[in-house]
Amino acid sequence: MSPHPRSAAVRPSPEARLAEVFPQVRQYLAGLLDAYRPRYAYLRPALERLVAHGRRTPLECALPLLVHGAVEGTLEPAVPVAGVHTLWWRAANTFDDVSDGDVGPQLYGGAPAAVMTAALECGYALPLRALAALPVSGPLRERLVADFLDGWTAACDGQVGDLLGTPTGTGPEEVLTVYRHKSGSVYGMAATMAARLALGTPAADDPQAAAWGEFGQAVGLLAQFRNDEDDLRSGHSEDLGNRTATYLLVQLLHAATGAARDEAVELLGRAADSAADRRRLAAMMFDPDVLAPYQRLLADVHERAHTLLDTLAPASPFTAALHRRVDDEVRTTAYAVAPPGPPGTHCTLAPGPAVPPGRTQGRAGQKV
């Protein structure tokens, strides 16, 4: 016998546990696609290409796994929810790339029209098939499907609002509503489904599931704000070129008056064809007077996410991992390099790089 026996095995960190489970999500997705053999001989290869080569999104697997772990203590039962969340994002990113004009002769290695058709199956029918096969009670299965469909519909509503909105004809609160739907609702859907699966509750009004959904929505909002800033800091400013009604741009146009507003509108009118005008407009958006209300909003959403975690599952090691991911979403934003907001356990962040590695070229990650 060893002279120094170990009293207990060292538990792996939440990140190590995630690394162990991620391959299970890939295997789960492969199993879903394998079920399309041999009946759907054309669709299956297109789906496989989309899942393998489509644009990924941060937290597409980790968020539902960690939420389930924080509630129930294990990750593996949430693998199907992580798979559903991944499938949704593959489809959404496809439609987003097409709507932004980021498509050439091929998309993700396939013909764009075929990829678009596969994306419809990937984001809608395939997740519903996955949820219908879950080994849970009938009422719980029906509620999970309803959660998914609620998130799908809200995201579609937000995306249409984003496409139809104009920077000069939209107010900051309208942009926030769009963001809550097109990004917040999807993260909220994933968190709600994972928490509901862990709790085993089919009740539509379950307060814990609803609170986890609110947490997911907050993460989605932070991710959208971070994505907007990534685009500006990268130097590409694709959103300005596309005249997208982002929150910070609308905040500038809402706050500016007189000659400053006229200049911003003129720059926006030339932004599609002029990198110099995009850079000048981006600099105006980072003016301290424009940033102040934006920073307060980021601080409020950031702290609300942490407060929800501290209330819902304060003792879980997976909650600590979720806290870190909340902070990661704002570490590279204007909020992170501003003076810290109201005192709080999680509010003060060290500044990160202007653009995280891997996001400068092609804006890999969330872009909805």
Side-chain angles (χ1 to χ4, degrees):
M1 180 179 294
S2 169
H4 302 290
R6 298 176 66 183
S7 58
V10 177
R11 293 183 177 180
S13 69
E15 284 74 15
R17 288 286 293 120
L18 278 175
E20 293 173 357
V21 178
F22 281 162
Q24 296 182 36
V25 179
R26 291 192 291 270
Q27 292 168 8
Y28 175 78
L29 293 175
L32 291 177
L33 296 174
D34 196 54
Y36 278 59
R37 300 176 187 269
R39 187 176 181 183
Y40 305 113
Y42 299 108
L43 180 58
R44 180 185 52 76
L47 283 169
E48 289 176 340
R49 184 182 301 111
L50 178 58
V51 171
H53 303 295
R55 182 159 54 84
R56 288 163 168 74
T57 289
L59 295 182
E60 63 183 14
C61 282
L63 179 63
L65 294 173
L66 288 173
V67 168
H68 192 281
V71 176
E72 190 264 352
T74 63
L75 305 181
E76 287 80 1
V79 163
V81 176
V84 165
H85 198 218
T86 297
L87 292 171
W88 192 96
W89 277 111
R90 288 293 184 283
N93 287 338
T94 300
F95 292 126
D96 192 60
D97 285 343
V98 171
S99 69
D100 281 353
D102 296 345
V103 178
Q106 286 199 322
L107 177 62
Y108 311 145
V115 175
M116 285 283 287
T117 303
L120 182 60
E121 180 77 12
C122 181
Y124 191 73
L126 188 53
L128 289 178
R129 292 179 186 276
L131 294 173
L134 285 178
V136 297
S137 70
L140 179 55
R141 190 182 305 114
E142 291 175 7
R143 188 64 247 168
L144 290 168
V145 168
D147 290 336
F148 174 77
L149 291 175
D150 287 345
W152 172 279
T153 301
C156 287
D157 179 75
Q159 190 66 18
V160 171
D162 184 60
L163 292 169
L164 297 181
T166 62
T168 55
T170 305
E173 286 302 317
E174 293 174 272
V175 178
L176 278 182
T177 298
V178 167
Y179 281 15
R180 287 189 183 99
H181 283 195
K182 76 169 189 171
S183 296
S185 66
V186 184
Y187 287 88
M189 172 254 285
T192 299
M193 291 172 64
R196 192 181 301 283
L197 188 64
L199 295 165
T201 174
D205 58 352
D206 180 80
Q208 281 189 281
W212 278 108
E214 183 185 350
F215 164 76
Q217 184 182 77
V219 175
L221 278 174
L222 294 174
Q224 183 64 62
F225 291 134
R226 184 263 306 148
N227 177 74
D228 290 350
E229 287 194 40
D230 281 355
D231 180 41
L232 292 172
R233 296 179 193 278
S234 73
H236 300 303
S237 298
E238 293 176 8
D239 288 333
L240 294 180
N242 292 331
R243 297 185 178 88
T244 301
T246 62
Y247 184 85
L248 201 51
L249 174 59
V250 170
Q251 182 64 41
L252 166 65
L253 297 176
H254 181 75
T257 58
R261 190 179 191 281
D262 291 341
E263 180 186 6
V265 172
E266 289 178 9
L267 291 169
L268 181 62
R270 300 192 298 263
D273 302 313
S274 171
D277 288 331
R278 291 196 297 273
R279 287 193 294 271
R280 171 59 185 152
L281 186 55
M284 294 179 71
M285 292 161 65
F286 282 104
D287 181 271
D289 290 339
V290 178
L291 281 181
Y294 173 67
Q295 290 167 338
R296 288 194 295 271
L297 173 63
L298 282 173
D300 289 345
V301 177
H302 176 235
E303 188 63 18
R304 178 58 179 163
H306 283 305
T307 299
L308 283 164
L309 286 175
D310 288 337
T311 302
L312 289 166
S316 170
F318 295 110
T319 303
L322 285 167
H323 278 302
R324 289 191 287 273
R325 277 152 179 79
V326 170
D327 283 348
D328 285 345
E329 291 301 329
V330 298
R331 200 174 297 278
T332 59
T333 66
Y335 166 56
V337 297
T345 306
H346 309 288
C347 271
T348 304
L349 299 174
V355 181
R359 287 207 193 112
T360 54
Q361 299 299 321
R363 295 179 64 196
Q366 183 192 22
K367 192 178 67 119
V368 298

